[in-house]
Amino acid sequence: MSDLPPHDDADAPHHPRFQRLRKLRQHDLLSPLQWRRRVLFWTGAIVVGLSAVFFAKAADYAFELFHSVASHGWWVPLLITPPMFALLCWLTQGALKATRGSGIPQAIAALKVEDEDFRTRLLALRVALGKMALTLAALLGGASVGREGPTVHVGAGLLYSMGRRFGFDDPTAAGRFILAGSAAGLAAAFNTPLAGIVFAIEEMSGTFEHRMSGTLLTAVFVAGVVSLGVLGNYAYFGDISASLPLGRAWLAVLLTGIVGGLAGGLFARLIIPSTLGLRGVVGRLRARQPIAFAAACGLALVLLSLLSANGLYGTGYAQARDILQGHSDTGPLFGVLKFLGNIASSWAGIPGGIFSPALAVGAGLGGNIAHLLPGADTSAVVLLGMAAYLSGVTQAPLTATVISLELTANHMMALPIMAACLLARGASALVCRVPVYKALADALIVQYEAERARREPTPATEPGHAP
């Protein structure tokens, strides 16, 4: 039986339970500890926003420098890219091993495991700074990588380090700093605040804790305002006024969803160490001679770029924008070649993300599909291809939908994009059952647990134990 009086509503203002809850909320609002945490979140979000803006500018400059040097001859990248891949692989063999890859799996793994040693290994300040520096070096060497995933890693590392520095080292509190830093990093990297929130819910945590909602929203808002204030109110790919009316043109949704999903799932499967890509010969070569293997991956990227009109180097942002805006000379094989170039860069194990390169692959595939549908708006089909392929790679359809809408400032395509992303998510799961970021994060966790098990003494080896 309930302890409440008959016909008494516990949510009524006069009820004692309601009064107690109101006092607790007032105490929480006025608590110095809570205000110290809020100020730290706001300050951290500003730092993440400024770091993301600096990173974006530096990344553009690094790749422009590579492009200007490489323009002197087709042979120049042969002297730059393979040695840079080898150097980055060598640099990430030791203390900077956590800087490898996208950076999003590191943030997810640190969020899952409430172990200070594990989190510090992945998110220490030196790791965040190293991630930024080595990703810039990768772009300087022409690698087919992006900066958005690394920005998530940097954002998580900065807020986590700030939280620990000022006494918020409780595992639950530290997890909140990691989540907010990751979301703020993505929001500032793309200048897409809503995508940062959806990314945190769908990709990072999988849940949305009510107590965390205000903190997360505030961090994303502050980081977004910083990016907006410095870079201005812009859409990543410009204002794209594409549309897709109901009717036969919606065949594009079906085609881009299936093709983008299958291709994205294949890419994810090929870059997950425990699946097809790195299990056999490739895995053995990478394990035995990692530096030589990385150099070979760089060489493969250069050779593939020779088959493309504009090359496969860098984020692919310029090529994707040109395809989307309808004045591209990348050639019909750009999507497939960029797909292979992204695999070469991922297999090398160097720092760098897959968001922007994935959008470039999707744009290329969408352009190919548009040629099969002469009655449809080409820009609309390309946009669908970008969103669907990104959804296929990440298996995060909501994040892919929101990012695609915010990147182009186009809301007329909301329903077609959402449909294509959901279809791509299902098609991707047929090829790769586990989402790529989750699989890579789980691999980091398994590796850490194995190392910890080797360090800890077993009962048979403990002092005083009789064999």
Side-chain angles (χ1 to χ4, degrees), residues 10-356:
D11 293 327
H14 62 272
H15 194 276
R17 184 182 300 174
F18 183 90
Q19 296 293 335
R20 288 195 300 271
L21 288 174
R22 185 169 66 178
K23 289 180 180 179
L24 286 173
R25 289 169 183 156
Q26 290 175 346
H27 178 268
D28 183 69
L29 182 64
L30 300 176
S31 168
L33 178 65
Q34 295 300 328
W35 271 105
R36 188 159 65 94
R37 189 179 70 173
R38 292 186 186 103
V39 171
L40 186 58
F41 265 111
W42 299 337
T43 305
I46 293 173
V47 173
V48 171
L50 291 174
S51 300
V53 171
F54 167 78
F55 196 15
K57 294 291 187 182
D60 291 341
Y61 177 78
F63 182 67
E64 286 173 5
L65 183 59
F66 167 81
H67 188 265
S68 63
V69 174
S71 63
H72 287 84
W74 63 267
W75 49 270
V76 175
L78 290 170
L79 306 178
I80 298 175
T81 304
M84 181 62 78
F85 274 47
L87 175 62
L88 291 172
C89 182
W90 176 74
L91 290 173
T92 56
Q93 293 294 311
L96 293 176
K97 187 176 181 179
T99 63
R100 291 179 176 178
S102 161
I104 294 177
Q106 286 87 339
I108 294 175
L111 193 62
K112 283 185 177 182
V113 179
E114 295 185 348
D115 181 273
E116 184 176 351
D117 180 53
F118 181 64
R119 286 176 166 175
T120 302
R121 174 188 296 194
L122 296 179
L123 301 177
L125 189 58
R126 74 171 186 279
V127 173
L129 297 177
K131 184 75 170 188
M132 190 179 294
L134 295 182
T135 302
L136 293 176
L139 290 170
L140 189 62
S144 181
V145 296
R147 58 171 173 80
E148 291 76 22
T151 307
V152 171
H153 194 181
V154 170
L158 288 176
L159 264 183
Y160 172 72
S161 299
M162 292 178 67
R164 290 189 64 228
R165 171 65 180 82
F166 290 96
F168 294 96
D169 50 3
D170 173 76
T172 302
R176 293 173 179 172
F177 279 93
I178 295 170
L179 182 60
S182 302
L186 186 75
F190 276 126
N191 201 18
T192 52
L194 184 57
I197 297 169
V198 174
F199 169 78
I201 299 170
E202 183 180 40
E203 192 68 75
M204 291 295 300
S205 65
T207 60
F208 194 47
E209 182 185 346
H210 176 69
R211 291 180 59 195
M212 187 57 193
S213 60
T215 304
L216 177 63
L217 289 170
T218 304
V220 172
F221 172 77
V222 172
V225 166
V226 171
S227 176
L228 186 67
V230 177
L231 299 177
N233 187 12
Y234 75 100
Y236 197 73
F237 287 113
D239 295 333
I240 306 297
S241 58
S243 62
L244 197 68
L246 286 171
R248 287 191 304 171
W250 268 60
L251 181 61
V253 173
L254 181 64
L255 291 177
T256 56
I258 294 176
V259 173
L262 292 175
L266 178 61
F267 175 81
R269 187 174 178 85
L270 287 171
I271 66 172
I272 296 174
S274 60
T275 55
L276 179 64
L278 300 179
R279 176 181 294 171
V281 177
V282 173
R284 289 194 294 270
L285 288 174
R286 179 173 173 174
R288 292 174 183 172
Q289 298 290 338
I291 298 175
F293 180 79
C297 289
L299 177 61
L301 176 61
V302 175
L303 296 178
L304 288 168
S305 292
L306 295 177
L307 303 177
S308 174
N310 295 333
L312 308 174
Y313 306 109
T315 64
Y317 160 74
Q319 293 94 327
R321 181 194 58 203
D322 291 343
I323 295 171
L324 191 58
Q325 295 178 354
H327 45 77
S328 171
D329 58 351
T330 54
L333 296 178
F334 173 75
V336 174
L337 293 174
K338 186 67 173 176
F339 174 91
L340 297 174
N342 293 347
I343 290 176
S345 297
S346 297
W347 276 1
I350 62 177
I354 62 177
F355 261 105
S356 288

